[in-house]
Amino acid sequence: MLPLSQIIQNHGVSYHCYADNTQFYIPLQASNSSRLDNFLACLRDIKCRMSQNFLKPNDNKSEVIVFGQTHSTSLLHSKLGSLTKNIKPAARSLGVIFDADLFEAHVNNVVQSCFFQQKKISKITSFLSPTDLHQVIHAFIFSRLNYCNALYAGISQSSFTDSNCCRMLLLEF
């Protein structure tokens, strides 16, 4: 009986294991389904290995997200077989939301979180000096903006200007 990592490696699938989660990364092309077939065979072998150890993967928690051009991804959806029901528009990993629009859902989530924090801070402004209020704003809002900010490097400016998140947050105070 092989460990899961060895089964995955035998199929040539890239992966990352967390404590109770394994993520697979497969570059796919609509015209070439051999990698997808490898991946589906890998999943079958993993399920077989788990059943031998009286375990069962939680298919309800499995998420599939396909990045690419719309016409390409629609072809891949039909080839995913039983995984088609698990296709999601976005998936969360380590607090970052990945979506087909390259982090637009994550940017929107960060903006929403910042406004939530701003609302909470506004309730305690009368108890804080301007200096302390400034520190609280930096501690809560800007730490949220800085979390995984390297991911924002390739995002178009329109993702930020549409929401005007930083400008609106700063003008409120």
Side-chain angles (χ1 to χ4, degrees):
M1 293 212 279
L2 298 173
L4 288 181
S5 60
Q6 194 167 2
I7 293 171
I8 298 167
Q9 287 173 352
N10 288 345
H11 287 281
V13 175
S14 299
Y15 69 98
H16 189 86
C17 291
Y18 298 98
D20 63 347
N21 185 9
T22 303
Q23 296 179 350
F24 301 100
Y25 307 96
I26 308 115
L28 299 172
Q29 295 177 341
S31 60
N32 182 0
S33 63
S34 64
R35 285 187 178 165
L36 182 58
D37 294 339
N38 264 353
F39 174 63
L40 295 174
C42 178
L43 289 180
R44 280 192 299 274
D45 290 350
I46 289 171
K47 286 181 181 181
C48 179
R49 161 80 163 87
M50 291 179 80
S51 67
Q52 290 171 350
N53 289 296
F54 306 103
L55 298 170
K56 182 181 179 204
N58 189 345
D59 291 332
N60 294 332
K61 288 194 172 186
S62 297
E63 296 178 329
V64 175
I65 184 165
V66 181
F67 298 98
Q69 298 171 339
T70 309
H71 67 279
S72 301
T73 58
S74 60
L75 290 172
L76 286 172
H77 287 202
S78 63
K79 295 178 182 179
L80 284 171
S82 64
L83 292 175
T84 305
K85 68 179 191 262
N86 299 84
I87 295 174
K88 308 284 186 219
R92 182 181 296 266
S93 177
L94 299 175
V96 177
I97 301 171
F98 294 88
D99 63 352
D101 296 323
L102 294 178
F103 304 111
E104 185 152 336
H106 180 68
V107 170
N108 291 337
N109 185 47
V110 169
V111 170
Q112 185 179 22
S113 171
C114 288
F115 280 114
F116 174 77
Q117 294 297 338
Q118 179 188 18
K119 214 173 188 183
K120 292 291 186 188
I121 291 170
S122 69
K123 292 180 180 181
I124 62 168
T125 55
S126 61
F127 302 109
L128 299 173
S129 69
T131 305
D132 292 339
L133 179 61
H134 188 260
Q135 288 177 345
V136 169
I137 290 169
H138 280 283
F140 284 104
I141 296 175
F142 293 115
S143 66
R144 184 67 177 120
L145 289 174
N146 283 329
Y147 179 72
C148 292
N149 66 357
L151 296 172
Y152 305 139
I155 296 179
S156 68
Q157 285 292 331
S158 64
S159 295
F160 294 106
T161 56
D162 287 347
S163 60
N164 292 315
C165 60
C166 295
R167 183 178 61 79
M168 290 173 70
L169 285 170
L170 294 173
L171 288 178
E172 293 283 329
F173 286 100

